[in-house]
């Protein structure tokens, strides 16, 4: 009876602990998934913003080239003054390649590495963060599953320890208590193999 009582008390406490940890890890998983989704949404908005800037740069550049080729210096200067700061380094690098005379020069500044949009860089950083958060959510889900498994093992302990009290036959009680003890050891091994969180 003492063994059964110890097993029952241990299993009850262990069940409460592993259930608590499983719930906390579920919360961590949910939070990570939510943050990952928000980061992906923000990244998509930034990608859209980058595309708008890219189209604006392209439109101003095309108008500038048209005016330059037509010899309209005043109109060309008008568009040249409206190049965005992010486009300027690419244009300067492109002009340095003498594109009007050099057949090997790129057809436009947009393919040069100097053409970088901050919105694209920010979006890439957010996408990387989203991937990291999602992976962390997957890990939290696995931890939660392991704690749930430990909880099930402790439930087995409770069952075998409690039912052992119903038998008069000593050997049967010993067998049931041994099974409960094995379940307790297995549950503790699973639970102690997992990280602990405070939420």
């Amino acid at each position: 009876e003492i063994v059964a009582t110890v097993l029952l008390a241990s299993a009850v406490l262990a069940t409460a602990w592993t259930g608590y940890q499983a719930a906390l890890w579920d919360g961590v998983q949910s939070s990570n998934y939510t943050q990952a989704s928000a980061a992906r949404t923000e990244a998509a908005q930034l990608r859209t913003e980058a595309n708008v800037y890219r189209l604006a740069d392209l439109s101003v550049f095309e108008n500038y080239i048209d005016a330059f080729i037509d010899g309209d210096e005043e109109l060309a200067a008008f568009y040249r003054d409206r190049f965005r700061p992010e486009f300027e380094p690419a244009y300067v690098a492109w002009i340095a390649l003498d594109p009007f005379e050099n057949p090997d020069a790129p057809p436009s500044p947009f393919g040069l590495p100097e053409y970088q949009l901050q919105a694209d860089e920010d979006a890439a950083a957010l996408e990387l963060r989203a991937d990291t958060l999602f992976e962390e959510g997957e890990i939290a889900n696995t931890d939660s599953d392991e704690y749930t498994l430990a909880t099930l093992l402790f439930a087995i302990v409770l069952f075998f320890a409690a039912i052992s009290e119903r038998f008069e036959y000593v050997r049967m009680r010993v067998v049931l208590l041994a099974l409960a003890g094995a379940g307790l050891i297995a549950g503790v091994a699973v639970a102690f193999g997992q990280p602990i969180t405070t939420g």
Side-chain angles (χ1 to χ4, degrees), residues 68-111:
F68 180 83
I69 290 174
D70 290 342
D72 190 337
E73 294 182 5
E74 184 178 347
L75 185 58
F78 173 83
Y79 286 116
R80 176 69 181 81
D81 290 341
R82 280 152 183 79
F83 285 176
R84 289 187 329 105
E86 288 182 308
F87 178 66
E88 186 70 27
Y91 172 76
V92 171
W94 183 68
I95 286 297
L97 297 173
D98 193 18
F100 297 103
E101 301 295 333
N102 180 9
D104 296 326
S108 79
F110 296 96

Side-chain angles (χ1 to χ4, degrees), residues 32-132:
N32 285 340
Y33 284 163
T34 300
Q35 291 180 63
S37 178
R40 289 191 197 286
T41 299
E42 189 176 349
Q45 292 172 343
L46 286 170
R47 292 291 186 193
T48 300
E49 181 180 317
N51 286 334
V52 170
Y53 288 144
R54 197 172 282 111
L55 288 172
D57 289 339
L58 178 61
S59 177
V60 173
F61 176 70
E62 285 180 338
N63 287 327
Y64 164 75
I65 290 298
D66 287 342
F68 180 83
I69 290 174
D70 290 342
D72 190 337
E73 294 182 5
E74 184 178 347
L75 185 58
F78 173 83
Y79 286 116
R80 176 69 181 81
D81 290 341
R82 280 152 183 79
F83 285 176
R84 289 187 329 105
E86 288 182 308
F87 178 66
E88 186 70 27
Y91 172 76
V92 171
W94 183 68
I95 286 297
L97 297 173
D98 193 18
F100 297 103
E101 301 295 333
N102 180 9
D104 296 326
S108 79
F110 296 96
L112 295 176
E114 286 81 2
Y115 186 58
Q116 300 290 331
L117 299 179
Q118 187 62 49
D120 270 335
E121 294 176 11
D122 292 343
L126 280 169
E127 287 163 353
L128 181 60
R129 174 169 165 71
D131 290 341
T132 300

Side-chain angles (χ1 to χ4, degrees), residues 11 15 18 146-160 179-180 182-191:
T15 299
T18 53
E146 291 296 320
Y147 273 113
T148 301
L149 172 60
T151 303
L152 290 174
L153 290 171
F154 294 137
I156 292 172
V157 175
L158 291 171
F159 173 77
F160 283 124
L179 289 172
L184 183 63
I185 292 170
V188 168
V190 171

